[in-house]
Amino acid sequence: MGIFHRIDESHGRTGHTTIVAPGTKITGTLRSTGGLHVDGEIDGSVEAKSYVIVAKGGVVHGDIHAREVYLDGVVNGDIWAIEVEIYDNGVCHGHIEAIRINKG
């Protein structure tokens, strides 16, 4: 539940949230003017003006560009963000470039 509590305190949160549900696979670049919550799988890059949550069981095969990234799933690519928070199950097989990296 900590991942949801942290999002409520987020200063960069704007717009709506797009949810990629468990069992859903999206192929291609995914762009959002709000936030993105990944419980399923994305095979492509992700761009969000606000935040990206890769929840436990969620997988992104591509790069992530967002203001904030909350990682409890797997990213097979690079992450560019102002703030990245990595939780116990979070794994990034790539580079992370951020102003702040926190352990959740």
Side-chain angles (χ1 to χ4, degrees), residues 2-3 8 28 30-31 33-34 46 51 53 58 78 85 87 89 93:
I3 196 166
D8 290 340
L30 185 58
R31 292 183 180 94
T33 57
V46 173
Y51 62 89
I53 298 170
D78 297 333
E85 190 146 340
Y87 294 86
N89 298 300
H93 298 287

Side-chain angles (χ1 to χ4, degrees), residues 76-91:
N76 295 307
D78 297 333
I79 297 174
W80 287 275
I82 292 173
E83 182 174 359
V84 175
E85 190 146 340
I86 303 173
Y87 294 86
D88 291 339
N89 298 300
V91 177

Side-chain angles (χ1 to χ4, degrees), residues 45-80:
S45 62
V46 173
E47 300 171 13
K49 293 216 183 234
S50 187
Y51 62 89
V52 173
I53 298 170
V54 182
K56 184 177 178 182
V59 180
V60 175
H61 301 284
D63 297 337
I64 297 177
H65 296 261
R67 184 174 183 84
E68 300 169 357
V69 176
Y70 302 90
L71 183 58
D72 202 24
V74 177
V75 174
N76 295 307
D78 297 333
I79 297 174
W80 287 275

